[in-house]
Amino acid sequence: MSFSLSGIASGLDTNTIISQLMQLERIPYTKLETKKKDYNTELSVFRSINTKLAALRSAADDLRLSSNFNLTGVKSSDESVLKAVGSDGLQEGTFLIEVEQLATYTTLVSKGFNASGNDLKNLGSVEFTINGETIQVDFTKETDEENLALLADAINKKSEAGVKASVIQTEPGKKSLLLTAKETGNVSIALDDTAKELLGNDEIKTNLGQNAIFKLNGIQMQSSTNEIKDFVSGLTITLFKENATATITISKDVDKVAEKVEAFVQAYNDVINTIRTNTAKGAQLQGDSTLRSLQDQLYNLFNAGVGQDGAFDYQYLFEIGLEIDKGKLKGSEMTGTITFDKEKFKQALLDNPDAVYKLFAHDSATDEEDGIAQKFSNSLLVWTRSGSGILASRIDGYNNQISFITKQMEDMEVRLQKKEEQLKKQFNNMETALLSLQNQMSWLSAQLNSLAFSTKA
C-alpha cells in the first residue's frame, strides 16, 4: 500500500496529475477494451444466426418427411354426443357411432345416520376392509355427522381401496356415507362383515355401474369407460350422450400441413431479417462477406427449380403460394423475406398432394434436381455443422481473438498498475525532497534572523 503526500510541499494537486497521466497511459488499454466489446457483439450475431439457421434446416427436414404431408384431422358431427381426437397419420375414413348407454360408476350408500346423534362415537375404534384394503377409524367426535366425515377421510386416504367417500344428506336431519368406485363399468365394491354392519347391513343401497354400449358402423361394442381408445388404432373418442348418434370423419388436414410450411417460412424470414439488420448501412457488420454470401445462397436455394423442365407438375415454390418480395418492384421496398399465401398452398395440396410433396422432398441423383427442402437440408449442413461448419469457424475465430485480447488486457493492466505506483512514488519523493528543502530554508531563515537580532543588541 502506497502513502500519498499530495501537494503537501509543492502545493500541486498531484493525485489529479497522476490520474490524468494514467488516462493517457490507458489509451491503448481502452482501445483493446473497445475492440473486445465489438468482437463480442459480432460473436453474438454469428451465434444467433447459427442457431436460427439450424432451426431453418430443422424446418426444412420436416418438409422432407412424407408423413408430414399426410397429416389427418378428426371431426365429430356432434360434439354434444361424442368428441374424437386422433394421432397424425390416421387412415382416412368415416365412422357412424350410435351410443346406446354410457358407462357409469358403481355407488354404495349407507343407512341414514342421525346427524346430531352419537351412535358412531359409542363404537370407539373400528377396523374393517373395503375391496380387501384394511381401514381403521377412531370415532372421537361428538356427533354422527362429524364421525362420518372422519370415516370418509380415512377411506379416501386408502387410495388402494378403489373408492371415493363423501358424506351426503339423504333426508332432513339424516346423513349417509356415499362410496363411489373410482372407475366406471361393472365394478363391485366389496365390504367385509364389519363394514357392512357399520354401514347398516340390509339398509345399504348399491347401484352397480354399467359398461358403455355403442355401435360402430352397425357393430355393437362395449367399453368399461366412456373414453374409448382401442377400437381404431390412434383414435380416441369420448362419449357424452345416450341414445344419440354422431359421425366421426378422418380426413387430410391441410391446415396442419400448412403449419409445417409456415414454420419453414418463419425460420427463413428470421434468418434473413437478422442478416439484413446486422449488415445494413451503418451496422457493425455492414458488408460482411460471409453473411452476404449466406443471404445470396438462401435466396438462390429458395428460387431454384426442381427437376428438369416439365418433369413435375410444380417446379417452383411461387406456384404453390410461396414467394420472396411478392409484388414489390422497388429496391427500397424489398425485404428479402417470404410471403406465404396459405389458401393458395392448401388448394394446391388438395388438388395435387403428390406434386406438392415432390416439390419439397424429391431426392434425385443430382443436387440440382432435388426438392427445395432437400436442397436446404444438404446446403445448410455446410454452414451449421458443429466444429467444421462455416459459422462454427467464424465463431471459433472470434473466440480466439477475444481470448488473445483478454490476455493482452490482463498483462497491460499489471503494467499500468506498476506505472501508477511508480508515478505515486516519484511524486511522493518529490514532495518529501521539497518538504526537506523547505524545512532547511526555515532553519536558515531562523538562524539569520537570530544573527541580525544579536548584532542590533
Side-chain angles (χ1 to χ4, degrees), residues 318-352:
F318 72 83
E319 297 176 280
I320 61 170
L322 290 84
E323 190 171 350
I324 291 177
D325 288 323
K326 181 180 180 180
K328 297 177 181 177
L329 302 177
K330 297 180 180 179
S332 59
E333 297 176 344
M334 295 182 179
T335 62
T337 56
I338 303 170
T339 299
F340 181 33
D341 187 339
K342 190 180 293 187
E343 295 306 314
K344 183 176 181 179
F345 170 80
K346 291 193 292 186
Q347 189 60 54
L349 187 63
L350 289 171
D351 292 343
N352 198 337

Side-chain angles (χ1 to χ4, degrees), residues 160-414:
E160 300 88 348
V163 296
K164 295 180 181 179
S166 57
V167 179
I168 62 173
Q169 179 172 297
T170 49
E171 57 183 278
K174 295 284 187 176
K175 296 288 184 177
S176 297
L177 184 75
L178 171 66
L179 298 181
T180 304
K182 289 185 177 179
E183 297 180 358
T184 53
N186 191 356
V187 177
S188 63
I189 299 177
L191 307 178
D192 69 358
D193 290 340
T194 303
K196 290 177 182 177
E197 184 177 356
L198 175 65
L199 299 182
N201 287 320
D202 294 340
E203 296 181 62
I204 296 172
K205 298 177 182 178
T206 301
N207 184 19
L208 190 64
Q210 63 184 21
N211 291 336
I213 300 176
F214 63 97
K215 288 182 180 179
L216 168 66
N217 288 349
I219 302 172
Q220 190 171 75
M221 296 184 174
Q222 289 195 29
S223 170
S224 62
T225 71
N226 292 314
E227 185 178 83
I228 306 158
K229 297 181 179 181
D230 53 0
F231 78 95
V232 174
S233 180
L235 180 66
T236 299
I237 67 170
T238 304
L239 307 179
F240 297 122
K241 185 185 292 186
E242 293 181 336
N243 301 315
T245 301
T247 301
I248 297 173
T249 303
I250 304 172
S251 58
K252 184 181 293 293
D253 192 334
V254 292
D255 286 310
K256 286 184 179 179
V257 183
E259 286 175 6
K260 297 289 184 182
V261 176
E262 194 166 33
F264 169 80
V265 170
Q266 290 174 350
Y268 180 98
N269 290 346
D270 198 11
V271 174
I272 293 299
N273 287 331
T274 304
I275 292 174
R276 289 174 71 93
T277 297
N278 289 282
T279 58
K281 185 176 181 180
Q284 194 163 316
L285 286 165
Q286 178 182 347
D288 183 88
S289 59
T290 300
L291 297 183
R292 290 292 186 185
S293 175
L294 173 58
Q295 181 177 336
D296 291 343
Q297 185 170 356
L298 292 174
Y299 180 86
N300 292 333
L301 287 171
F302 181 87
N303 285 298
V306 176
Q308 299 178 353
D309 289 343
F312 299 123
D313 291 334
Y314 297 127
Q315 190 174 5
Y316 298 96
L317 288 176
F318 72 83
E319 297 176 280
I320 61 170
L322 290 84
E323 190 171 350
I324 291 177
D325 288 323
K326 181 180 180 180
K328 297 177 181 177
L329 302 177
K330 297 180 180 179
S332 59
E333 297 176 344
M334 295 182 179
T335 62
T337 56
I338 303 170
T339 299
F340 181 33
D341 187 339
K342 190 180 293 187
E343 295 306 314
K344 183 176 181 179
F345 170 80
K346 291 193 292 186
Q347 189 60 54
L349 187 63
L350 289 171
D351 292 343
N352 198 337
D354 186 58
V356 172
Y357 172 66
K358 285 182 178 179
L359 177 59
F360 283 103
H362 180 63
D363 189 3
S364 69
T366 60
D367 292 343
E368 291 77 10
E369 296 183 7
D370 280 343
I372 302 300
Q374 188 76 18
K375 292 179 191 290
F376 269 87
S377 183
N378 293 338
S379 299
L380 295 187
L381 182 61
V382 177
W383 290 85
T384 60
R385 185 185 288 115
S386 177
S388 59
I390 296 173
L391 294 178
S393 296
R394 282 296 296 268
I395 290 170
D396 287 343
Y398 278 116
N399 283 327
N400 291 335
Q401 288 287 345
I402 291 168
S403 296
F404 179 70
I405 290 175
T406 299
K407 183 63 171 61
Q408 283 184 304
M409 291 173 68
E410 290 172 352
D411 293 342
M412 190 176 293
E413 183 63 40
V414 173

